């Protein structure tokens, strides 16, 4: 009897476990049919079209967002048709993490608190969500996996801040999609390590105004790029510059 029970447990686990590389989660949508409500967000990308991400984007729950370390990462998502009749069969979409879906502690995690820990949840831009789910459902079970990001052109660097500190945002990041570490060098400084401030924004507390800037950027995949003299000395706060390089992993 014990052997039969053990066999049943193993078979059941195999049946309900996702295929290798896939994980279970859920997905809702926000931002309107034109995704205008998704612009900006907790990663600091601002206009998602200019940042290279468009409308195939999502806000991630805490367990996925990882305090902003997941900003820019790509996920292949499909509706779990074995668990819901509201799936568009055979459809899948690759999204970029551009925002944070905060917990709603006033609601239980299975009824409104979709982004409460430890739930892996994607609050997707509506156009992306509707590629895999039927609008009437509102929320669908999904299978997801992190995948390589493919971008057009180089990394986009936007410099914010004020006279005595810089807040540098890196967008249109390929490969792993997200940044592990950043250092900057001005024409009058050595290499200075930056710290993640919030989202995809990295902070430097040195005065670099009027200096040509170079960066050493390492992706979460472990690849390092040397972006030499990528920002000219005449840069101003709010300006964006595009490098000639991007990550492969």
């Amino acid at each position: 009897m014990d052997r039969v029970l053990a066999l049943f447990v193993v078979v059941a686990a195999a049946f309900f476990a996702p295929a290798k590389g896939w994980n279970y989660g859920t997905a809702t949508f926000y931002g309107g049919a034109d995704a205008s409500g998704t612009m900006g967000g907790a990663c600091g990308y601002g206009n998602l079209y200019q940042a290279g991400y468009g409308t195939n984007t999502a806000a991630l729950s805490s367990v996925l967002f990882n305090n902003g370390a997941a900003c820019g990462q790509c996920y292949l998502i499909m509706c779990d048709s074995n668990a819901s009749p509201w799936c568009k069969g055979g459809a899948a979409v690759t999204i970029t993490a551009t925002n944070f879906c905060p917990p709603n502690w006033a609601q239980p995690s299975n009824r409104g608190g979709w982004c409460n820990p430890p739930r892996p949840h994607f609050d997707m831009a509506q156009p992306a969500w509707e590629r895999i789910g039927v609008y009437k459902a509102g929320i669908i079970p999904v299978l997801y996996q992190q995948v390589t990001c493919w971008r057009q052109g180089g990394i986009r660097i936007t410099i914010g801040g004020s006279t005595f500190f810089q807040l540098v945002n890196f967008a249109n990041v390929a490969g792993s999609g997200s940044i592990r570490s950043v250092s900057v060098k001005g024409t009058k400084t050595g290499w200075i390590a930056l710290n993640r401030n919030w989202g995809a924004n990295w902070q430097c507390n040195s005065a670099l105004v009027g200096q040509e800037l170079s960066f050493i950027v390492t992706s979460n995949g472990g690849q390092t790029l040397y972006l030499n003299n990528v920002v000219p000395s005449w840069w101003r706060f709010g300006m964006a510059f595009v490098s000639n390089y991007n990550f492969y992993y």
Side-chain angles (χ1 to χ4, degrees):
M1 183 65 181
D2 290 341
R3 290 182 179 178
V4 173
L5 180 59
L7 178 60
F8 174 79
V9 171
V10 170
V11 171
F15 180 80
F16 290 108
K20 185 177 180 181
W22 292 91
N23 304 279
Y24 287 127
T26 49
T28 49
F29 59 85
Y30 79 114
D34 60 357
S36 59
T38 66
M39 299 297 120
C43 289
Y45 293 130
N47 186 309
L48 298 179
Y49 289 102
Q50 293 178 0
Y53 300 133
T55 61
N56 285 346
T57 62
L60 274 53
S61 62
S62 299
V63 69
L64 296 172
F65 191 68
N66 193 21
N67 294 317
C71 285
Q73 291 180 355
C74 295
Y75 295 86
L76 178 63
I77 303 176
M78 64 175 64
C79 186
D80 186 359
S81 57
N82 290 323
S84 174
W86 301 106
C87 298
K88 292 183 178 178
V93 62
T94 299
I95 60 89
T96 298
T98 58
N99 203 354
F100 173 54
C101 182
N104 181 359
W105 300 116
Q107 300 290 337
S109 61
N110 64 347
R111 187 173 295 179
W114 310 124
C115 291
N116 294 351
R119 288 182 66 107
H121 184 82
F122 299 86
D123 197 15
M124 300 169 61
Q126 186 175 331
W129 190 94
E130 288 198 83
R131 291 177 61 183
I132 61 173
V134 178
Y135 178 86
K136 186 177 179 180
I139 181 171
I140 52 174
V142 298
L143 295 167
Y144 73 93
Q145 60 176 292
Q146 187 178 344
V147 295
T148 299
C149 299
W150 301 99
R151 310 293 186 201
Q152 292 185 343
I155 295 173
R156 185 174 186 266
I157 302 167
T158 303
I159 304 178
S162 65
T163 305
F164 299 105
F165 79 95
Q166 289 75 44
L167 206 58
V168 186
N169 183 279
F170 295 88
N172 198 49
V173 178
S176 65
S178 54
I179 303 297
R180 178 191 298 172
S181 65
V182 179
S183 294
V184 64
K185 182 181 183 298
T187 48
K188 300 177 183 178
T189 73
W191 286 105
I192 303 166
L194 276 63
N195 297 309
R196 186 189 302 276
N197 184 300
W198 59 276
N201 292 301
W202 294 77
Q203 184 168 331
C204 174
N205 292 322
S206 299
L208 298 175
V209 174
Q211 299 183 54
E212 193 173 54
L213 305 180
S214 300
F215 293 90
I216 299 176
V217 186
T218 301
S219 70
N220 273 323
Q223 183 181 0
T224 297
L225 295 178
Y226 294 82
L227 309 179
N228 294 315
N229 307 319
V230 67
V231 175
S233 60
W234 45 262
W235 65 267
R236 296 292 182 268
F237 293 109
M239 285 185 170
F241 302 90
V242 179
S243 77
N244 293 321
Y245 302 97
N246 218 320
F247 294 109
Y248 293 102
Y249 59 89

